[in-house]
Amino acid sequence: MEGPHTSTAGRKPAMSAGQIWNMSFGFLGIQIGFELQNGNVSRIFQTLGAEVHELAILWIAAPMTGLLIQPIIGHLSDKTWSRFGRRRPYFLAGALLASLALFIMPHSPALWVAAGMLWVMDASLNITMEPFRAFVGDNLPDRQRTRGYAMQSFFIGIGAVIAGALPWVMTNWLGLSNVAPAGEIPETVRWAFYIGGAALLSAVVWTVLTTKEYSPEQLAAFEAARHKALGLAPRAAASVQRSAGQFFAGGLGWVLAGAILAAAIAVGRSAMRPDWLGDIDIAQELYVLAGLIAGFGAVQLAAGMLRAKGRGESGFMEVVNDLFAMPATMRQLAVVQFFSWFAMFALWIYGVPAIADYHFGASDPATRGYQDAGDWWGLMSAVRNGLAAAAALGFVVIAARIDRRRLHGLNLALGAAGFAGMLLVRDPALLWLPQIGLGIAWASIVSLPYAILAGSVPARKMGIYMGIFNIFIVVPQLVAATLLGFMLTVFFDGAPIYAMAIGGASFALAALATLFVEDAGSVAKAMPAPVGEAA
């Protein structure tokens, strides 16, 4: 199959604005699905009987699914080549499953069903999303990658605007009810999920039908030409192999750390005053965190056993080995990603209960005030993401003139200010002000780190490294899901608004971490395009 362009100079040719648009359009649908999930799942959980302190642990399904799915899909899509392409079969399969989940979730009859549907929905969205990240790295040369990821960010913003506004529009423009009997999902939420499912599938199908892909052989030739132009030595055919002893040593350390934490939780729980937290048991979240720590050690022990037996060629071993052989730029970005996504997860989990309690004075999900707060937060999410879409277009121009990492650090600092504004602004009508900083930061998070990363990893492993990179999105979400409920309960008397304060502090740390990132693709980005090509 012929790629997006036919190269005559050995270098990967530029794509036109229309081709980049079509290649990125599927992200419109993906983000509609994610934003409906992010903006309404806590609302659905509480409607079905969940307490505020239980939300974080119920949300653990989303990051856990991404942790398992994205590296696997990245590895498989790197190895896939058929008449349907390399990444596109995964786009379509994930979109079909995610659309089905969107239709089913608002009909969940019980909390456990809704929690299970979150697993299905998030897994399906991840199957679609991960190859889309690698798609830009596959198809665009270094000098256009910021533009490509910014276009994805633009569609992320537009999709989120649509999804965020849907419940509010249906209540205030179409007259549908946003209140339902106890234990039932409001009509506005159900219809938002129906429309979102149809839009998701339609947008992804558009990209599948309008965009071609380069073959693995073409990508290898482009990468060789790029290395020659930059004066770089070709990358080794395989990553540096981690020894069985290294895997065993690391694995035992992590398992021991998890066991020590679990023991400390048990001792602390038995010593806790019975009346300190009333009927709230916060130990379950901490036990999950201990299990995750030990689980990472168990993965290394399994890899060590396979390596010791000479069975080091499986997909599992390739993913685990590549995790420990990441380029330096990817390691540095991992720190930035950790604090960035910890903050965003705090916003998604606690946005609705925070403004319902702090700005509307309504903490009971069965009241109209709470449901009005949910609709208003959806509209504020639309404002935030509309600003993100506009900011993403601005990055295309700004990133060509200044250092991408410094731009990302500035954007994250603006996001920290936005979180602070959530506490300082008490009038719900003025909540659009904090969304300015949060929107700019969000546009940056979903574009600039990927543009920086794509220039530092080999083309043949673009999918697997994008999947591994997602670990540093997922791990902070898992930490947030296990620690946020504990932190709010112990330090802030369970008040959800203080999740915004925690998010602001996390964004500030992410901004500082960007100062230590090396942009490995900056030299290639600055190279002039061949005569006759678009920049």
Side-chain angles (χ1 to χ4, degrees), residues 219-447:
L219 289 174
F222 289 142
E223 185 172 25
R226 174 179 179 268
H227 287 158
K228 183 177 180 180
L230 292 173
L232 301 175
R235 295 183 184 270
S239 303
V240 176
Q241 297 296 302
R242 188 173 172 87
S243 70
Q246 289 173 311
F247 276 127
F248 283 131
L252 287 172
W254 282 90
V255 169
L256 181 61
I260 291 172
L261 177 58
I265 295 166
V267 172
R269 188 182 187 189
S270 63
M272 188 181 298
R273 295 201 320 266
D275 62 339
W276 185 34
L277 295 172
D279 296 328
I280 298 174
D281 184 2
I282 58 175
Q284 58 180 344
E285 290 91 343
L286 299 181
Y287 278 129
V288 171
L289 179 60
L292 292 171
I293 292 171
F296 181 57
V299 168
Q300 293 183 67
L301 291 176
M305 287 188 286
L306 290 173
R307 178 76 76 214
K309 293 179 179 179
R311 297 166 57 187
E313 303 302 319
S314 65
F316 169 78
M317 286 300 298
E318 183 175 0
V319 171
V320 176
N321 197 79
D322 284 343
L323 173 63
F324 289 94
M326 292 184 295
T329 297
M330 190 171 174
R331 294 177 183 273
Q332 295 154 0
L333 283 170
V335 179
V336 179
Q337 292 292 85
F338 179 90
F339 290 111
S340 300
W341 286 89
F342 186 94
M344 291 307 303
F345 212 55
L347 185 72
W348 292 333
I349 295 175
Y350 290 104
V352 172
I355 74 158
D357 180 59
Y358 192 70
H359 298 90
F360 283 76
S363 58
D364 184 354
T367 62
R368 185 174 188 86
Y370 182 96
Q371 296 300 334
D372 286 344
D375 286 351
W376 188 248
W377 182 242
L379 189 62
M380 290 301 98
S381 297
V383 170
R384 178 175 67 251
N385 287 289
L387 291 164
L393 296 180
F395 296 162
V396 175
V397 177
I398 298 170
R401 291 168 171 77
I402 68 172
D403 188 331
R404 290 185 295 202
R405 9 161 247 155
R406 294 185 185 276
L407 174 60
H408 189 47
L410 174 61
N411 294 337
L412 291 172
L414 292 173
F419 269 116
M422 292 288 292
L423 284 88
L424 297 175
V425 172
R426 295 303 300 261
D427 184 352
L430 296 178
L431 279 174
W432 63 271
L433 288 169
Q435 308 313 310
I436 297 173
L438 292 170
I440 292 171
W442 174 235
S444 194
I445 289 168
V446 295
S447 59

Side-chain angles (χ1 to χ4, degrees), residues 10 14 67 77 95 105 130 135 146 153 167 170 174 179 228 244 249-250 351-352 362 381 425 473 479 514 518:
L67 180 66
S77 68
M105 184 158 193
E130 195 286 327
F135 205 39
T146 298
S153 184
M170 289 178 184
L174 301 181
V179 179
K228 183 177 180 180
V352 172
S381 297
V425 172
I473 296 172
V479 173
T514 60
E518 300 171 12

Side-chain angles (χ1 to χ4, degrees), residues 78 86 237-239 318 322 457-466:
D78 278 343
R86 187 185 196 188
S239 303
E318 183 175 0
D322 284 343
V457 300
R460 72 185 186 282
K461 287 182 173 288
M462 188 69 69
I464 195 169
Y465 271 123
M466 286 292 176

Side-chain angles (χ1 to χ4, degrees), residues 30 200 320 500:
I30 295 171
L200 190 161
V320 176
M500 305 301 105

